C-alpha cells in the first residue's frame, strides 16, 4: 500500500515541474484572482458600512494596519500585474531555506546571514487595553553602540563601514551610512541599508507585539526606540519616491499608531499628502471627523487645505449617488473657504509652484498678497512652506484650479463685507503659532524640504543634527550611559572635514562633543581645504561604498555568497 500511494505522488511531482509560458500566465492570473477575492471578502464581511451622512465608515480602528498593504510588491502588482513585478523571482525564493518570514521588508540574497544582534523587546505594562513596549540593548550591543559613537565623532565614514563589516546589522550604523549614500545619490544602496535595519529590528520583536492592532506603543523618549521610528520614516519616504503611495500611507499609519498622542516625528504633517496621492479620500475625511474635536486638525494648514480637496475629489466620483456628491461639494466649499480665511499666505506660493498667474482682482488685493506672508509668525511660515512644497503637484489639475478660483473670489467678497470671521482668524494667527514644538522641527529636518528648512530658527540650526538621532527629546529616558573618553582627536584629516560637511542638518560644521572654534583663520583654512578636495573625495567615497564586502564562511545553501552589497 505505501508503494502504491507513492506512485501517483511521483507523477504529480513530475507534472508540477513542467512549466510552460501558458502555465506561468495562468499562475499569475490565479494570484491576481485570489487578491481580488480577498478584497471582495473584506468588503462583504461587515468591515465597512454605509452611514446616514453618505460617507463610508470603517468599523475597524482608524489606525488599523493591514499586512498586505505593507508590501510594495502588492501595490506594484495592482498597477502593472504580477508577471511584470515578480518576473523570475519566485523560483529563486524557494531555494532560500534560512530566510525568516517578516512583514516590514523581505530579506535579500545579497545580505549577510542574520544572527542575534543583542537587541530585544520587552513588554513594560498594559493600560486600558494598550500595550507599552520598549527595545533593549544587551551588553554586547551596548559595546558596539559605543564604538559607533566613537566612529561618528571621528567624522570618518570609513570607520562606520569597518564597524558594519564586523556588525552588519547594527541599526544606527545602517541609518547613518544610508544618509551618506543618499547624499552621494546612491539611492539604491541607501534604501537597501534602511530595509536591512528594519529587518534587524523586526527580528527582535516581542511575541505579542502587533503591527496591525494599533494598540502597541513605543516611547520615543527612550533612545533604544528611536531607530525604529526613524527607519520606518526613511523607508516610507523611499516608498513614496518609488511610486508606492498606498504602501507609504500604511507605514505612516504604523508610525502614528506607535505614539499617537505625542507623534514624535509629526507624521500628521505628511499623512494627508499620502492619503491624497493614494486616493484614500475616505480615510482622510474620516480621520478629520474623528480627530478634529480633540486634536484641532483644522489648525494645521495641511489638513485645512487637504481635507476640502479630498471632499472635492469625492464629489467628482461618478459611482457615488447624487446626494453623496452634493454633500461632498458643500463640505468642500465650506472648508476651503475657512482654510483661505485662516491661512491666506498659502494661496500665492501655491499658485507660483503651479505656474498659475492670479487674476487682476486677486493680485490687486493685499489679503492674499505679500503682506500675508510677511506678517505671519515664523512657526506658521514653516508649516505653510512645508505644505506648499510637498503638495503643490496635487493642485495643478485644471478642474481643481477652477474650483479654487471660485472660492477665492467668494472669500474676497467676505473680506469686503467685513465678515467677523476674517478678523477672528487674524487674531488666532497672531496668538497661536508663536513657536513650533520640537517634533515639527524634527519632521522638517527629516523631510528635507528646502522651502521649510530655510525657515528653521536659529536655536535649531546652531546645534549639530545627527542622522541617527535628529533633535533628541529634552526629557529623554536614558537606560545606560556611555563611558567617558580619556582623549579627543586633536587634528582632523581632509576626509574628516568632508564627512562633517555631509552630516545632515544645517549645522554640520558643529562638533558632536560641543567644541567650538573661535579662530577665524582656522575656519577659513578648513573651508579652503574642504573646497579643494571635495570632488576627489566624492569619487573616492563612491568607490569605497560600491566595493564593500563582508567576509563570511562559505555556505552550502548559497554557494555564490551573500556578503556583497553590490
Amino acid at each position: 500500500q505505501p508503494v502504491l500511494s507513492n506512485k501517483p505522488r511521483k507523477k504529480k511531482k513530475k507534472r508540477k515541474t513542467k512549466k510552460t509560458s501558458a502555465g506561468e500566465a495562468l499562475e499569475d492570473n490565479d494570484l491576481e484572482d485570489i487578491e481580488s477575492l480577498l478584497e471582495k471578502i473584506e468588503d462583504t464581511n461587515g468591515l465597512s458600512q454605509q452611514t446616514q451622512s453618505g460617507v463610508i465608515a470603517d468599523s475597524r480602528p482608524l489606525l488599523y494596519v493591514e499586512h498586505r498593504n505593507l508590501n510594495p510588491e502588492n501595490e506594484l502588482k495592482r498597477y502593472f500585474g504580477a508577471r511584470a513585478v515578480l518576473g523570475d523571482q519566485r523560483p529563486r525564493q524557494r531555494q532560500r531555506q534560512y530566510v525568516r518570514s517578516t512583514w516590514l521588508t523581505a530579506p535579500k540574497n545579497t545580505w549577510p546571514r542574520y544572527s542575534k544582534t543583542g537587541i530585544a523587546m520587552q513588554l513594560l505594562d498594559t493600560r486600558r487595553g494598550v500595550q507599552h513596549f520598549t527595545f533593549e540593548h544587551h551588553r554586547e550591543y551596548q559595546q558596539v553602540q559605543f564604538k559607533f559613537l566613537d566612529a561618528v565623532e571621528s567624522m570618518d565614514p570609513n570607520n562606520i563601514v569597518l564597524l558594519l563589516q564586523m556588525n552588519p546589522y547594527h541599526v544606527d550604523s545602517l541609518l547613518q551610512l544610508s544618509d551618506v549614500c543618499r547624499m552621494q545619490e546612491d539611492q539604491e544602496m541607501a534604501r537597501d541599508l534602511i530595509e536591512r535595519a528594519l529587518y534587524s529590528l523586526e527580528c527582535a520583536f516581542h511575541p505579542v507585539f502587533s503591527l496591525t492592532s494599533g494598540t502597541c506603543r513605543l516611547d520615543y523618549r527612550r533612545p533604544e526606540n528611536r531607530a525604529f521610528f526613524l527607519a520606518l520614516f526613511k523607508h516610507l519616504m523611499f516608498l513614496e519616491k518609488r511610486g508606492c503611495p498606498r504602501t507609504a500611507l500604511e507605514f505612516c499609519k504604523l508610525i502614528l499608531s506607535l505614539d499617537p498622542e505625542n507623534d514624535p516625528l509629526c507624521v500628521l504633517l505628511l499623512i494627508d499628502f499620502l492619503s491624497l496621492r493614494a486616493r484614500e479620500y475616505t480615510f482622510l475625511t474620516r480621520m478629520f471627523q474623528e480627530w478634529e474635536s480633540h486634536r484641532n486638525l483644522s489648525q494645521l494648514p495641511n489638513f485645512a487645505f487637504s481635507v476640502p480637496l479630498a471632499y472635492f475629489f469625492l464629489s467628482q466620483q461618478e459611482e457615488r449617488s447624487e446626494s453623496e456628491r452634493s454633500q461632498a461639494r458643500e463640505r468642500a466649499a465650506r472648508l476651503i473657504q475657512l482654510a483661505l480665511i485662516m491661512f491666506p499666505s498659502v494661496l500665492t506660493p501655491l499658485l507660483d509652484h503651479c505656474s498659475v498667474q492670479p487674476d487682476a482682482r486677486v493680485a490687486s488685493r493685499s489679503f492674499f498678497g505679500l503682506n500675508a506672508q510677511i506678517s505671519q509668525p515664523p512657526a506658521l511660515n514653516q508649516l505653510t512652506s512645508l505644505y506648499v512644497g510637498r503638495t503643490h503637484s496635487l493642485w495643478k489639475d485644471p478642474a481643481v484650479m477652477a474650483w479654487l478660483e471660485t472660492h477665492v473670489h467668494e472669500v474676497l467678497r467676505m473680506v469686503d463685507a467685513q465678515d467677523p470671521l476674517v478678523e477672528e482668524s487674524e487674531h488666532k494667527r497672531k496668538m497661536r503659532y508663536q513657536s513650533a514644538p520640537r517634533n515639527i522641527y524634527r519632521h522638517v529636518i527629516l523631510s528635507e524640504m528646502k522651502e521649510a528648512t530655510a525657515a528653521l530658527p536659529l536655536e535649531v540650526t546652531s546645534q549639530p543634527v545627527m542622522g541617527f538621532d535628529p533633535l533628541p527629546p529634552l526629557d529623554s529616558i536614558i537606560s545606560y550611559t556611555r563611558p567617558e573618553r580619556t582623549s579627543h582627536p586633536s587634528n582632523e584629516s581632509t576626509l574628516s572635514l568632508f564627512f562633517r560637511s555631509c552630516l545632515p542638518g544645517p549645522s554640520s560644521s558643529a562638533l558632536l562633543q560641543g567644541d567650538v572654534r573661535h579662530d577665524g583663520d582656522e575656519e577659513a583654512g578648513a573651508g579652503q581645504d574642504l573646497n579643494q578636495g571635495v570632488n576627489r573625495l566624492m569619487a573616492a567615497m563612491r568607490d569605497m561604498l560600491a566595493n564593500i564586502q563582508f567576509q563570511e564562511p562559505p555556505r552550502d545553501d548559497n554557494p555564490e555568497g551573500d556578503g556583497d552589497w553590490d
Side-chain angles (χ1 to χ4, degrees), residues 76-190:
L76 293 173
K77 281 189 287 187
R78 287 197 294 269
Y79 298 151
F80 307 110
R83 180 61 180 168
V85 175
L86 294 179
D88 59 347
Q89 293 179 11
R90 279 169 289 179
R92 292 183 181 177
Q93 288 178 354
R94 293 194 188 104
Q95 299 173 6
R96 295 174 59 92
Q97 301 175 0
Y98 67 96
V99 172
R100 176 175 177 172
S101 177
T102 52
W103 292 110
L104 297 179
T105 184
K108 300 178 181 178
N109 286 322
T110 56
W111 291 359
R113 181 192 290 269
Y114 177 81
S115 58
K116 289 187 177 181
T117 60
I119 302 180
M121 181 182 277
Q122 179 185 359
L123 174 62
L124 295 178
D125 59 2
T126 303
R127 298 191 298 267
R128 294 190 293 256
V130 177
Q131 298 170 313
H132 296 263
F133 295 86
T134 184
F135 284 100
E136 289 184 336
H137 293 172
H138 295 164
R139 184 177 297 275
E140 61 270 19
Y141 193 90
Q142 293 179 17
Q143 299 301 319
V144 179
Q145 188 72 9
F146 298 151
K147 294 178 181 178
F148 166 73
L149 295 176
D150 292 341
V152 172
E153 284 190 358
S154 71
M155 302 298 174
D156 187 352
N158 193 42
N159 291 335
I160 300 178
V161 173
L162 294 175
L163 185 64
L164 274 176
Q165 287 183 338
M166 301 299 297
N167 306 275
Y169 286 94
H170 181 255
V171 179
D172 283 348
S173 297
L174 293 169
L175 295 179
Q176 189 71 33
L177 195 58
S178 174
D179 285 342
V180 176
C181 294
R182 187 170 44 80
M183 292 169 194
Q184 298 176 6
E185 300 182 356
D186 191 350
Q187 302 294 332
E188 190 67 27
M189 173 72 75

Side-chain angles (χ1 to χ4, degrees), residues 252-443:
C252 193
K253 289 161 59 177
L254 173 58
I255 296 175
L256 189 57
S257 71
L258 295 176
D259 193 353
E261 295 299 324
N262 300 307
D263 190 11
L265 301 186
C266 209
V267 293
L268 280 177
L269 299 178
L270 175 65
I271 198 167
D272 63 298
F273 169 66
L274 296 176
S275 301
L276 291 173
R277 276 213 60 198
R279 300 183 180 181
E280 293 289 327
Y281 309 129
T282 305
F283 167 77
L284 181 57
T285 55
R286 179 192 172 192
M287 185 176 196
F288 183 75
Q289 292 171 2
E290 294 185 10
W291 285 30
E292 168 64 13
S293 59
H294 66 282
R295 297 295 289 268
N296 292 325
L297 296 182
S298 59
Q299 301 307 302
L300 294 173
N302 58 309
F303 271 92
F305 281 88
S306 291
V307 172
L309 184 59
Y311 276 119
F312 172 76
F313 286 135
L314 288 174
S315 70
Q316 303 297 305
Q317 294 179 348
E318 297 181 355
E319 63 269 18
R320 295 184 176 273
S321 65
E322 184 57 36
S323 61
E324 292 176 10
R325 295 170 63 184
S326 175
Q327 190 176 40
R329 276 194 297 269
E330 292 175 2
R331 291 184 178 181
R334 178 171 53 86
L335 291 174
I336 192 61
Q337 291 175 18
L338 291 175
L340 289 168
I341 292 174
M342 185 66 194
F343 306 107
S345 61
V346 171
L347 181 64
T348 301
L350 183 62
L351 295 179
D352 289 342
H353 278 74
C354 296
S355 302
V356 174
Q357 292 290 333
D359 58 24
R361 183 184 177 192
V362 176
S364 61
R365 303 298 298 274
S366 61
F367 185 75
F368 292 116
L370 186 60
N371 184 53
Q373 302 175 50
I374 298 176
S375 61
Q376 68 180 358
L380 181 57
N381 186 35
Q382 290 165 3
L383 295 176
T384 56
S385 300
L386 184 68
Y387 177 73
V388 171
R390 173 177 283 154
T391 325
H392 64 88
S393 59
L394 301 174
W395 292 82
K396 290 184 176 182
D397 189 338
V400 173
M401 273 296 163
W403 167 73
L404 179 62
E405 181 183 11
T406 301
H407 295 293
V408 167
H409 290 162
E410 181 62 31
V411 168
L412 288 178
R413 282 193 289 271
M414 296 173 66
V415 173
D416 292 338
Q418 296 183 350
D419 192 303
L421 184 60
V422 177
E423 185 177 353
E424 180 184 345
S425 299
E426 184 180 359
H427 179 69
K428 287 181 180 179
R429 286 196 302 274
K430 291 181 179 179
M431 295 300 296
R432 302 171 184 176
Y433 313 106
Q434 294 301 317
S435 62
R438 199 170 178 85
N439 61 339
I440 290 182
Y441 295 146
R442 197 177 294 126
H443 178 91

